[in-house]
Amino acid sequence: MGVPQHIAIIMDGNGRWAASRGLPRTAGHTQGAKNVERICLAAKKLGVKYLTLYAFSTENWSRPQPEVKALMKLLEGYLDRCQKTVEENKMRLRVIGDITRLDPKLQEKIKDAQQISAIYHDLNLTIAINYGSRDEMVRAMRKMCEDVKADKRLISEITPESFSEYLDTKDIPDPDLLIRTSGELRLSNYLLWQLAYSEMYFTDIAWPDFDEKELEKAINAFSSRDRRYGGIQEEKNV
Ligand code: FPP
C-alpha cells in the first residue's frame, strides 16, 4: 500500500504534554493547535489528500468550563488565521459535527471558511467540532426517516451506501488510516461508521510532539502492511 489517501487523527495528549512540563492544560491545547498547521503542511507534502482531525467531541462539553472556553477560542483563532493556510496549501476546509450548539459567531466563521476554501482541492482538511459518531448517526437517521415520510426515499432503498449520504462525511471518502496519539487504544466515538475498514496506528507520542517525522513513520507503517485478500473490497466478503 502506498500513501493513504485519507488520514483521520485523534489528537490526544495535550493535557499530559502540558502537565509533564508543569504547564496548565490549556497550554497543551495551544501547542496542539499550532501542531495542526505543521501536520497539514506535512500531510500535503507527503501526498495525503484528506486529513480529518478530532478537535472537540460531544463529550468534551463536560470538561471544566475554562478549558471548554479555551478550546473554543483556539478554534476561533484557527479559523481567523486559516485564510492564509488555505491559500498556501490550496486547502479545502470542512467542519463535521453538530455546529448548531456552537456560539453563533463561531458558526459564522465556520460557514465563511468553508465557503472561501471550497474552490481548493489539493488538501481536504476536515475538523470535527461538537462531533460524536453516535450523534452523527442519529442525526442521519432522523433525516433519512423524514425523507421516507415525505416519500422521497423508499425503505427498500436504504443501504450502507445510501445511509452514508446522510452522514456529515457524505462528500469525503472513508479514512484509510486512523492515527491516535498519546497511548490510548480507543476510538472514543470517532468516525465509527467510516473507520469500518481502516488501518489503525497508535503511538505513545503526545499530539504536540507528533511532528513531520512521526507522521512519516505512521505512513511507512501503513505502507508496509499487507492487506490479506488484496484489498478492502475482497476483505468485505470475509
Ligand atoms: C485531547 O487531549 C485533545 C483535545 C480534547 C482537543 C484537541 C484540540 C486541539 C489540538 C486544539 C484545537 C484544534 C484545532 C483544529 C485548531 P487531552 O486534553 O484529552 O489530553 P490528555 O488526555 O493528556 O488529558
Side-chain angles (χ1 to χ4, degrees):
M1 292 190 282
V3 172
Q5 176 186 214
H6 182 178
I7 301 181
I9 308 184
I10 302 179
M11 309 181 285
D12 200 7
N14 294 341
R16 278 165 283 172
W17 181 91
S20 69
R21 286 161 177 78
L23 299 168
R25 292 179 58 78
T26 47
H29 294 314
T30 305
Q31 200 60 30
K34 280 190 193 149
N35 200 35
V36 166
E37 309 196 11
R38 172 164 71 168
I39 291 302
C40 279
L41 201 62
K44 194 194 155 195
K45 275 192 190 147
L46 291 165
V48 175
K49 284 287 186 193
Y50 293 83
L51 191 62
T52 301
L53 306 177
Y54 207 1
F56 193 90
S57 73
T58 45
E59 290 75 26
N60 284 156
W61 295 108
S62 62
R63 293 196 174 201
Q65 275 319 293
E67 186 174 344
V68 170
K69 259 194 171 166
L71 280 167
M72 289 299 151
K73 217 162 172 221
L74 280 172
L75 288 165
E76 207 178 314
Y78 178 78
L79 290 166
D80 286 339
R81 286 193 315 277
C82 81
Q83 200 170 342
K84 192 165 157 257
T85 330
V86 155
E87 281 164 16
E88 271 171 13
N89 290 345
K90 304 227 175 314
M91 178 177 93
R92 178 167 184 179
L93 182 82
R94 293 179 179 88
V95 170
I96 54 168
D98 181 5
I99 66 164
T100 60
R101 195 175 160 186
L102 305 177
D103 184 277
K105 215 167 78 191
L106 184 55
Q107 290 186 41
E108 274 313 304
K109 289 188 185 196
I110 290 170
K111 282 177 198 153
D112 287 350
Q114 291 191 136
Q115 204 179 356
I116 289 165
S117 68
I119 51 167
Y120 298 119
H121 305 283
D122 281 11
L123 177 68
N124 291 272
L125 172 67
T126 302
I127 306 180
I129 308 177
N130 190 26
Y131 176 85
S133 245
R134 290 181 174 182
D135 178 69
E136 178 193 32
M137 284 194 249
V138 168
R139 285 187 285 109
M141 270 186 265
R142 284 189 183 144
K143 277 185 261 167
M144 207 171 61
C145 289
E146 271 164 23
D147 279 357
V148 169
K149 214 167 116 186
D151 290 330
K152 288 190 197 152
R153 191 173 282 278
L154 296 170
I155 290 182
S156 58
E157 288 171 353
I158 300 173
T159 61
E161 290 72 26
S162 65
F163 179 67
S164 294
E165 286 165 26
Y166 288 91
L167 294 170
D168 296 349
T169 50
K170 60 182 179 306
D171 301 324
I172 310 169
D174 287 344
D176 305 290
L177 173 65
L178 169 83
I179 299 174
R180 182 168 188 154
T181 58
S182 210
E184 308 299 338
L185 308 177
R186 292 189 297 276
L187 290 181
S188 299
N189 203 12
Y190 190 45
L191 301 173
L192 300 181
W193 176 274
Q194 298 86 343
L195 292 172
Y197 296 98
S198 312
E199 295 288 328
M200 310 269 163
Y201 179 87
F202 298 99
T203 171
D204 288 337
I205 306 286
W207 172 249
D209 288 333
F210 188 87
D211 58 9
E212 297 89 340
K213 286 222 151 32
E214 293 299 330
L215 180 66
E216 233 175 307
K217 238 198 290 186
I219 292 177
N220 288 341
F222 169 86
S223 307
S224 66
R225 284 186 199 172
D226 178 21
R227 282 218 195 228
R228 287 187 310 146
Y229 314 108
I232 295 175
Q233 289 312 317
E234 286 86 346
E235 206 172 86
K236 279 180 181 165
N237 295 324
V238 180

